[in-house]
Amino acid sequence: MIRSKASETTHRTFEIAMLEVIRNSHGERLDYSFHPGAREGGPIVVIGHGVTGHKDRPFLIALAEGLESAGFAALRISFSGNAGSEGRFADSNISKEVEDLGSVLDALQNRPIAYAGHSMGGAVGVLRAARDPRIRYLISLAAIVHTRAFVEHAFGALEVGRDLMFGKPGCLLSQAYLDDLRAIDTVVHQAERVAVPWLFVHGSRDALVPIFHTHDAFARARAPTELVVLEGADHTFEPGLTSQMVDAVTRWCDATFET
């Protein structure tokens, strides 16, 4: 189901290669993978992951490869404290990742940017795009909007410093994470300040981040927006619906990006 509210980059791979290292404001190196694409004139799509995730989750690789096949450049990043990036997982939270994303934008200098964020990475995108005009297009994939409600739903029964988030080794629930998401409460009000074209994609059977998160942000957004609901898809676009997510994103980019 699709609903719509509103009916200078060149192909220079060497620019990314020359970055070599991207560091955040704490001096921590951020791991990334670059997909060059072949089109001239479009932005680079920076792809951010969710909590306990990383740049190499299969559906994020599929998205980057799909964008590259369609000619668009993509940059998959792991936020600090996750997978191959430096930093402590215990320090990972939305506010720190918003700053990490700012460091990535700094490293890309004046290149036009589209940001695609999954789950918690979607909340990161809203907060950054609401204040940073360098993000010219925004894509929210099963994005968390109501952060306090999410953290209580997903981790309210866990004990800080003892229990693992989603049972993943090394991903101890931290007080910093809880405090940050509770303090933010919701990003729905920042959605009203996002002034760039915005695509929402969400699965109808997402039990981790229920689709009302996306409906609430979509209702508040004032920029040209589009909502794609993938019937039967869960939080990571299973079972077998990753290709539909990729198709929805690449189609929207093709129709929306200025060249």
Side-chain angles (χ1 to χ4, degrees):
M1 176 180 69
I2 299 176
R3 291 193 288 137
S4 180
K5 276 188 173 180
S7 329
E8 136 183 34
T9 275
T10 61
H11 174 50
R12 293 178 290 178
T13 305
F14 71 89
E15 289 185 351
I16 300 298
M18 285 176 60
L19 291 177
E20 294 184 354
V21 175
I22 300 177
R23 296 190 182 274
N24 65 12
S25 60
H26 300 275
E28 297 160 343
R29 180 187 55 80
L30 302 180
D31 193 20
Y32 69 86
S33 295
F34 179 60
H35 302 252
R39 297 194 190 194
E40 296 186 357
I44 180 171
V45 183
V46 177
I47 301 174
H49 59 83
V51 62
T52 74
H54 50 79
K55 68 179 181 64
D56 293 327
R57 297 201 71 180
F59 65 94
L60 297 182
I61 294 175
L63 175 58
E65 291 177 344
L67 287 163
E68 182 178 31
S69 293
F72 301 109
L75 185 75
R76 294 183 284 116
I77 62 171
S78 289
F79 292 113
S80 56
N82 292 270
S85 289
E86 294 177 349
R88 300 192 315 151
F89 180 80
D91 297 328
S92 298
N93 55 49
I94 289 175
S95 294
K96 189 180 183 193
E97 292 182 1
V98 170
E99 298 309 313
D100 284 354
L101 180 53
S103 297
V104 172
L105 302 186
D106 291 343
L108 295 175
Q109 300 178 355
N110 295 320
R111 296 194 63 162
I113 301 296
Y115 175 74
H118 175 252
S119 194
M120 194 169 94
V124 169
V126 172
L127 291 172
R128 191 82 223 180
R131 76 186 207 209
D132 194 330
R134 292 178 296 178
I135 295 179
R136 299 188 189 178
Y137 307 89
L138 184 62
I139 301 164
S140 293
L141 306 172
I144 296 170
V145 172
H146 303 296
T147 58
R148 177 185 287 269
F150 166 78
V151 80
E152 301 301 343
H153 165 67
F155 307 120
L158 302 187
E159 182 176 326
V160 171
R162 185 195 73 179
D163 293 330
L164 298 174
M165 302 166 79
F166 306 129
K168 294 184 178 181
C171 297
L172 280 173
L173 178 65
S174 73
Q175 193 64 50
Y177 178 81
L178 288 178
D179 290 346
D180 186 65
L181 270 71
R182 287 168 175 165
I184 292 169
D185 187 36
T186 181
V187 302
V188 73
H189 304 297
Q190 285 82 1
E192 298 173 347
R193 306 205 322 252
V194 174
V196 298
W198 191 353
L199 172 67
F200 298 85
V201 182
H202 212 120
S204 66
R205 294 188 178 180
D206 189 339
L208 183 60
V209 181
I211 198 169
F212 74 81
H213 285 250
T214 282
H215 285 307
D216 289 351
F218 180 77
R220 296 290 193 101
R222 62 184 179 87
T225 56
E226 184 173 303
L227 169 61
V228 177
V229 177
L230 298 181
E231 297 297 336
D234 67 9
H235 190 58
T236 58
F237 311 107
E238 295 295 341
L241 296 171
T242 293
S243 62
Q244 291 188 28
M245 177 272 289
V246 173
D247 288 346
V249 174
T250 55
R251 176 194 56 77
W252 182 83
C253 292
D254 190 56
T256 307
F257 286 175
E258 296 180 0
T259 58

